[in-house]
Amino acid sequence: MSVILKENIPTANEKPIPPPMCQPPKRTPKFYADDKANYTILCPQMASIHFALAKTVFSQNGYHLEVLPEVNRDAIEEGLRYVNNDACYPAIVVVGQLIQALKSGKYDLNRTALLISQTCGGCRSTNYATFLKIAVLKAGFGNISVAPFNVNLSSEPNAEGISMTPAMSQQLVLAFFIGDLLMRTSNHCRPYEKNAGATEQLVAAWIERAKPVIAEGKMRDVSKLAPGIIADFEALELVGENSRPKVGIVGEILLKYHEGANNRLIEVIEREGGEAVVPDILDFALYCLTSDWHRAAYSNVPMKNYLKSTFLVWLVERHRKKIQKRLEKSERFSAMCGVRHLIKKAETLVSTCNQTGEGWLLAADMVEMMESGVRNIICVQPFGCLPNHIVGKGLVKELRNRYSDANISALDFDPGATEVNQLNRIKLMMAIAVRNQRKKNNADLKNEEK
Ligand code: SF4
């Protein structure tokens, strides 16, 4: 209990002591698209194929973007130094990677800005830009700008951050069409390739071939690239194709795609005898774009935003159908299914008003995988990520009720999680997956002999 001493109370003749002057909070300088020619923009890594292609789009539009390489343990330690450890693990990974780059001495600190994504929803990822700004100030880089990047239909035209022109948006979507296709085809071929390394060589070759088309292209130019990619991957020599269990990876976006953040999960699955199946990244953008559709039933959504998102989803899906149709003809690869189909799948389990984190998309991915025969799923989520625990781990019981052979394992990631624990859980899950697949292979063999 505080005690007010009599001698501290000003008497009638004394002037009251003025309150201490409040210092204005320190802020990092703002980044506007007009500054692009003067800055190197550092971008944290998330999905290596997609980001290699996206970099071309930024270069074409006058940005000097540098996608940072792998995340290592030092980057995570760096993140922990500047972000409170009760923040989300992806924030720690991303901030750590960027601060590590600033400290590396490789960049002119008067001409460097940092790119960070923002989802503009109810989740903490909306605040990643603020986390980063605070970290940058704490680390003593007060003159470094932070450029937020988001899929926000209501943002002002001259808002802070990267400004997406219609042409740039089209190129970026085209880059993600091709990134998703290369990820899909390479994940299927790699575990069975006859000549070690052949799949990765083909991916690297197609990234280089796709870059000039994407730099000059529009979404419709997907038909210049996709048929060739599918044909080349169909021609790859494989051994024992489809004999391995398919293992779906779902969950938080950074952990799902970033091999550094998820401790090389795809490599582990392949080493343990499986084939990884990873959903398209573009589905996440479509999931963000459709959020107004579901909200409109319960709240006041501006008609302008509603129509804009409906048009954009239609446009993207219209061009993605070209890949989908070609994949449907393929005997080797499975096709994507479209966002409306995913919404229907999610609605069988949760309300589509689940829009924080991966929200209803996570539920939709799991149902879609189960129904397309991928009965093994690893759900990756940051420790303490409430939204994804609800629509990820929270649905496992119901999925097991629906699909008796569902083999689902939820993996938590945080800076202190030991790789050994994660590995043990994956190995256990993979042992069941391999045993089930062996039974299925034997049954198929017997049926063929009959
Ligand atoms: S989805 Fe989870 S990890 Fe990502 S920002 Fe939200 S709470 Fe954090």
Side-chain angles (χ1 to χ4, degrees):
M1 197 171 75
S2 63
V3 179
I4 300 173
L5 298 174
K6 208 174 167 191
E7 56 269 27
N8 287 346
I9 301 174
T11 61
N13 302 331
E14 271 176 351
K15 276 192 185 166
I17 302 163
M21 287 289 288
C22 291
Q23 294 295 320
K26 283 191 186 158
R27 294 190 193 284
T28 53
K30 293 194 173 183
F31 178 90
Y32 293 98
D34 293 348
D35 302 329
K36 62 187 178 188
N38 304 324
Y39 283 86
T40 297
I41 304 176
L42 305 182
C43 168
Q45 182 57 269
M46 189 180 87
S48 50
I49 300 175
H50 298 70
F51 279 29
L53 296 170
K55 188 178 167 189
T56 310
V57 176
F58 280 86
S59 308
Q60 180 71 13
N61 288 278
Y63 292 91
H64 179 219
L65 188 80
E66 187 138 344
V67 181
L68 297 175
E70 296 285 284
V71 166
N72 53 25
R73 187 68 220 170
D74 289 345
I76 294 173
E77 290 300 329
E78 205 64 78
L80 279 171
R81 221 164 276 149
Y82 300 106
V83 182
N84 196 320
N85 73 352
D86 67 358
C88 309
Y89 179 56
I92 294 169
V93 172
V94 167
V95 170
Q97 209 183 352
L98 291 168
I99 298 285
Q100 188 187 43
L102 291 180
K103 287 187 176 177
S104 68
K106 283 193 215 154
Y107 305 100
D108 175 354
L109 296 179
N110 294 315
R111 290 174 178 274
T112 302
L114 308 178
L115 184 72
I116 186 118
S117 63
Q118 251 187 333
T119 54
C120 299
C123 209
R124 279 183 283 185
S125 54
T126 308
N127 301 322
Y128 279 15
T130 313
F131 282 158
L132 180 59
K133 286 176 184 177
I134 295 170
V136 161
L137 288 171
K138 272 198 213 163
F141 299 108
N143 55 342
I144 298 287
S145 309
V146 171
F149 180 78
N150 59 50
V151 188
N152 182 7
L153 293 181
S154 48
S155 62
E156 298 293 322
N158 293 320
E160 180 189 1
I162 304 286
S163 158
M164 292 288 288
T165 59
M168 190 176 171
S169 309
Q170 290 229 26
Q171 291 160 352
L172 212 51
V173 175
L174 179 58
F176 275 68
F177 281 155
I178 301 306
D180 282 340
L181 180 60
L182 287 172
M183 182 171 73
R184 181 177 286 266
T185 47
S186 62
N187 279 342
H188 175 73
C189 293
R190 198 184 313 100
Y192 307 107
E193 64 191 6
K194 188 175 174 202
N195 304 313
T199 310
E200 286 312 313
Q201 278 171 17
L202 202 49
V203 170
W206 267 108
I207 289 177
E208 291 314 313
R209 278 175 76 175
K211 278 179 181 174
V213 180
I214 290 169
E216 299 294 338
K218 292 204 163 52
M219 276 190 260
R220 62 166 179 257
D221 293 318
V222 67
S223 43
K224 289 186 186 164
L225 295 165
I229 294 175
I230 298 170
D232 274 5
F233 279 89
E234 279 175 336
L236 259 189
E237 276 191 89
L238 306 184
V239 179
E241 192 178 352
N242 294 326
S243 58
R244 292 169 171 241
K246 290 186 172 19
V247 182
I249 301 176
V250 298
E252 194 277 332
I253 186 162
L254 184 97
L255 291 176
K256 202 164 39 171
Y257 299 111
H258 190 332
E259 55 263 37
N262 67 23
N263 296 333
R264 313 205 157 270
L265 187 53
I266 294 183
E267 270 179 41
V268 177
I269 290 172
E270 290 175 0
R271 216 170 41 230
E272 294 299 316
E275 173 196 329
V277 177
V278 189
D280 289 1
I281 296 189
L282 210 65
D283 284 338
F284 185 81
L286 294 174
Y287 151 77
C288 295
L289 279 176
T290 58
S291 52
D292 281 346
W293 299 3
H294 319 292
R295 255 186 251 154
Y298 303 95
S299 63
N300 222 355
V301 170
M303 185 52 89
K304 191 180 78 181
N305 288 0
Y306 186 90
L307 293 176
K308 214 168 169 186
S309 65
T310 307
F311 172 70
L312 290 176
V313 171
W314 170 80
L315 195 65
V316 171
E317 290 280 52
R318 181 166 162 250
H319 292 290
R320 194 164 71 153
K321 273 232 161 68
K322 293 172 192 166
I323 308 178
Q324 193 177 344
K325 281 193 180 148
R326 176 61 184 83
L327 284 173
E328 277 163 3
K329 285 188 200 148
S330 169
E331 291 190 0
R332 180 166 280 185
F333 303 114
S334 60
M336 61 285 289
C337 55
V339 73
R340 281 191 171 76
H341 177 87
L342 286 175
I343 290 171
K344 282 199 191 115
K345 295 292 161 199
E347 281 170 344
T348 66
L349 264 184
V350 292
S351 159
T352 44
C353 288
N354 278 289
Q355 293 177 5
T356 42
E358 272 46 45
W360 62 261
L361 181 66
L362 211 169
D365 281 342
M366 290 202 283
V367 176
E368 171 55 24
M369 281 181 178
M370 286 287 150
E371 293 191 354
S372 59
V374 181
R375 294 297 170 100
N376 312 290
I377 291 180
I378 295 178
C379 182
V380 287
Q381 47 214 345
F383 178 76
C385 166
L386 187 63
N388 283 350
H389 273 77
I390 292 168
V391 288
K393 213 171 184 175
L395 302 183
V396 171
K397 191 172 170 209
E398 178 54 25
L399 285 167
R400 285 196 184 125
N401 287 342
R402 285 188 191 185
Y403 309 96
S404 55
D405 55 348
N407 175 25
I408 307 173
S409 183
L411 277 191
D412 279 0
F413 285 78
D414 75 7
T418 65
E419 240 176 279
V420 179
N421 269 348
Q422 286 168 354
L423 207 55
N424 285 343
R425 290 186 74 116
I426 300 170
K427 278 183 181 239
L428 195 64
M429 183 270 179
M430 286 304 300
I432 299 169
V434 169
R435 193 184 62 206
N436 291 347
Q437 183 69 27
R438 211 170 281 147
K439 275 189 207 161
K440 186 177 170 292
N441 292 349
N442 289 340
D444 288 348
L445 210 62
K446 275 183 193 160
N447 284 342
E448 272 172 31
E449 282 167 3
K450 272 182 195 170

